[in-house]
Amino acid sequence: MSQRLDHIAFIMDGNGRWAKKRLLSRSMGHKAGVKRIKEIILSCFEDYGIHTCSLYCFSTENWNRPKDEIETLFQLLKTFFEEEIDFFKEKGVQIRVLGFLEDERIPSDVLSTIKKAVQETKDCTKNVFNVLFNYGARQEILEATRKLAKKAVEGKVDPERLTLSDFSGMLFTKESSDVDLLIRTSGEERLSNCLLYQCAYAEFVFTPCYWPDFDKKELEKCIREFESRNRRFGAIKG
């Protein structure tokens, strides 16, 4: 691969529109979308040698959706973790769930399943699968700022000597590299509060394909597009 691709992120959008197009319920669209996850993540790891995959599953803004849709999403994610945890362990994939997990609105059984998946894969070292759950980038940045401000008040850090590494070390992604490529499905062309800090130099690919239809061929198209880009990181290249 000509361009370095260590960390890929997905905003898996379009489940509802995929379902509507087929005269199905939004719940069926989410179910079809969850079924697509393993194929895509595994292809990233095994076909392209990508180390880290991040998947935007549930945002802090998604609480504004209908209650029954939220409950469906939670149960689908719970089932996914329960059914696939052994698979990821066998593949050497460490699961990290990044977000505000202390939120009392998250059902206890869902939270328990999430924590179990994280715990049982914590010693896996081959690849990393970040699940962005109850995640919002602005909120993440604000929380990181609060932590550093508290340290400054306590005299543990000098505000004048703070570095970017100090700040990034307070983020949920402190153990991951920055995003190289972000893919959003469904034709929408915005970040929607996803990994704003980590995507500072990411390449973006927006595809009209709905997430339930996003297969390995579509993934290949996006990666080929990434490879065609000239990543300069502020410098000048020929």
Side-chain angles (χ1 to χ4, degrees), residues 174-210:
K174 58 183 177 292
E175 296 178 289
S176 295
S177 60
D178 284 344
V179 176
D180 296 302
L181 169 63
L182 181 137
I183 298 171
R184 180 168 186 157
T185 57
S186 86
E188 303 293 348
E189 298 185 1
R190 56 180 179 270
L191 289 179
S192 295
N193 205 17
C194 178
L195 298 171
L196 300 180
Y197 186 91
Q198 298 85 345
C199 284
Y201 282 101
E203 296 294 325
F204 300 150
V205 175
F206 302 108
T207 171
C209 180
Y210 295 138

Side-chain angles (χ1 to χ4, degrees), residues 30-185:
H30 292 311
K31 186 175 182 179
V34 170
K35 286 183 177 179
R36 184 64 68 182
I37 293 175
K38 186 168 75 171
E39 173 193 352
I40 297 303
I41 297 302
L42 190 62
S43 181
C44 287
F45 292 152
E46 298 191 344
D47 296 336
Y48 299 100
I50 300 169
H51 180 264
T52 302
C53 290
S54 294
L55 197 67
Y56 203 16
C57 291
F58 188 84
S59 76
T60 49
E61 290 75 31
N62 285 156
W63 290 107
N64 295 319
R65 294 190 177 190
K67 183 178 179 181
D68 59 340
E69 183 175 348
I70 292 173
E71 290 175 349
T72 296
L73 280 168
F74 282 3
Q75 289 307 308
L76 285 171
L77 287 171
K78 178 176 182 288
T79 300
F80 173 81
F81 279 122
E82 289 174 337
E83 293 181 349
E84 305 298 346
I85 186 170
D86 288 337
F87 171 82
F88 284 115
K89 284 170 64 177
E90 291 172 3
K91 293 291 184 178
V93 178
Q94 181 181 133
I95 297 173
R96 299 175 185 165
V97 181
L98 312 182
F100 297 91
L101 303 184
E102 301 82 9
D103 196 316
E104 61 184 12
R105 293 172 294 181
I106 302 174
S108 58
D109 61 327
V110 175
L111 189 59
S112 177
T113 300
I114 286 173
K115 289 183 176 179
K116 180 181 179 182
V118 171
Q119 178 63 27
E120 293 196 9
T121 62
K122 65 182 179 62
D123 294 325
C124 296
T125 58
K126 186 175 181 181
N127 294 104
V128 172
F129 177 25
N130 290 326
V131 179
L132 307 184
F133 178 75
N134 199 27
Y135 173 87
R138 285 182 170 180
Q139 294 87 333
E140 177 189 28
I141 292 170
L142 177 60
E143 185 62 23
T145 304
R146 283 175 175 156
K147 290 177 182 177
L148 284 175
K150 183 178 179 181
K151 285 180 175 290
V153 170
E154 294 172 345
K156 295 179 179 179
V157 298
D158 179 355
E160 297 298 326
R161 301 176 70 87
L162 287 175
T163 65
L164 290 175
S165 294
D166 292 328
F167 186 81
S168 61
M170 294 294 166
L171 299 173
F172 292 131
T173 54
K174 58 183 177 292
E175 296 178 289
S176 295
S177 60
D178 284 344
V179 176
D180 296 302
L181 169 63
L182 181 137
I183 298 171
R184 180 168 186 157
T185 57

